[in-house]
Amino acid sequence: KPPCPGGTFRMLALILAGGEGSRLRLGEKALVTVAGKPMLSRVIEAFAEADVEPVVVTSHKTPFTRNFCRANDIEFIDTEGAGYVEDMCEAVSLSGEDGPLFTAAADIPYLTADIINTVRDAYFKSGKPACSTWIPISICEEFGMLPRYKEIINGVCATPCALNILTGSLAGEVQDEQAVLLNEPGLAFNVNTREELAAAEKMFEALGK
C-alpha cells in the first residue's frame, strides 16, 4: 500500500451506514443533511482529506444510501444489515483487510481530518492492535446530550465516539486497545434523534459553516 503523509501505509475506513435510523425518523440516516450536506458526505470528506480510503457499509435497509454511493462513484460494501457490530465484522471480512483499519459511524458530521490524524498517530505510537476514541461527558452535557455509556478514561468520566481503529485479522475478537481522550466538542454529535440533529445544525450555524 502507498505511504500516507505520516509515513505509514494508506488505511481503509469502513463507514457504517446500514441502519434504518428509526429514532431519527427522517429516512435513511446517513443521507440526512446537516447544514445542507448529507452527514455521510461530511464523514467521507474528512477521511479523504486525511488520506484514508473511505468505504461505505450499506445493507438492504439502506437502498438509497447504496444508490447515493453508486451515483457519486463512492466505494461501498453491502452487508446483511444484522446490526452495527455484525455489519462491521462482515464488512471487514469482505474488505479482505487483515491489517489496521478505521471504523466509523456515518452520523458524526463534525469529524475532521485533524481528528482522524490525531487518532491514527496515537494508534501507531501505542503498538496495540486497536484504538478507541472518547470525549469527556462534560462536553456532551454542555450541548444537552445524555450519553448512554460512560467509563473512566485517564481519570475523566468519558463516553465513546463512533471512531475506532481495529486489526482486520482480529475482527470479532476482543482486541487490546489504546483509549484516546479528545476534547473535541464536535464529537459529541452522534446524531440519532431530532433533538441531536437540531443541536448539530445550531452548532454549524454558530461556526458559520
Side-chain angles (χ1 to χ4, degrees):
K1 297 182 180 180
C4 73
T8 58
F9 60 82
R10 184 177 173 88
M11 290 178 69
L12 191 73
L14 298 178
I15 304 171
L16 280 293
E20 295 174 288
S22 56
R23 282 185 286 168
L24 196 55
R25 304 187 308 280
L26 288 172
E28 295 177 20
K29 185 167 61 170
L31 300 182
V32 172
T33 60
V34 173
K37 183 180 290 188
M39 290 192 286
L40 176 60
S41 294
R42 294 186 179 279
V43 175
I44 288 171
E45 289 170 4
F47 277 114
E49 186 180 341
D51 199 37
V52 177
E53 182 181 350
V55 178
V56 179
V57 180
T58 61
S59 76
H60 66 91
K61 299 176 182 177
T62 56
F64 291 106
T65 301
R66 189 188 306 142
N67 289 340
F68 176 86
C69 292
R70 289 194 180 106
N72 291 279
D73 198 27
I74 298 166
E75 187 176 352
F76 69 93
I77 293 174
D78 207 39
T79 61
E80 292 294 323
Y84 190 94
V85 174
E86 293 87 351
D87 289 357
M88 179 188 69
C89 291
E90 183 182 356
V92 171
S93 177
L94 292 172
S95 76
E97 178 58 77
D98 292 329
L101 71 159
F102 275 97
T103 65
D107 56 3
I108 45 176
Y110 281 98
L111 184 66
T112 66
D114 285 345
I115 292 172
I116 292 166
N117 288 332
T118 296
V119 173
R120 176 170 52 192
D121 289 347
Y123 167 76
F124 281 110
K125 287 177 182 176
S126 75
K128 295 183 178 182
C131 182
S132 57
T133 308
W134 303 72
I135 59 169
I137 289 287
S138 58
I139 290 180
C140 298
E141 292 174 343
E142 288 178 18
F143 298 101
M145 305 293 186
L146 300 174
R148 289 179 293 173
Y149 183 80
K150 303 176 184 180
E151 190 170 317
I152 301 299
I153 303 294
N154 299 338
V156 176
C157 186
T159 190
C161 309
L163 177 66
N164 301 283
I165 297 177
L166 55 83
T167 298
S169 61
L170 302 176
E173 300 179 21
V174 176
Q175 302 185 28
D176 184 25
E177 65 181 32
Q178 175 68 33
V180 179
L181 182 67
L182 300 176
N183 288 304
E184 290 284 351
L187 290 179
F189 295 93
N190 184 202
V191 180
N192 288 303
T193 66
R194 298 283 184 96
E195 292 76 17
E196 291 168 352
L197 178 61
E201 289 273 11
K202 186 175 181 179
M203 187 169 178
F204 268 105
E205 288 175 7
L207 293 173
K209 293 189 176 185

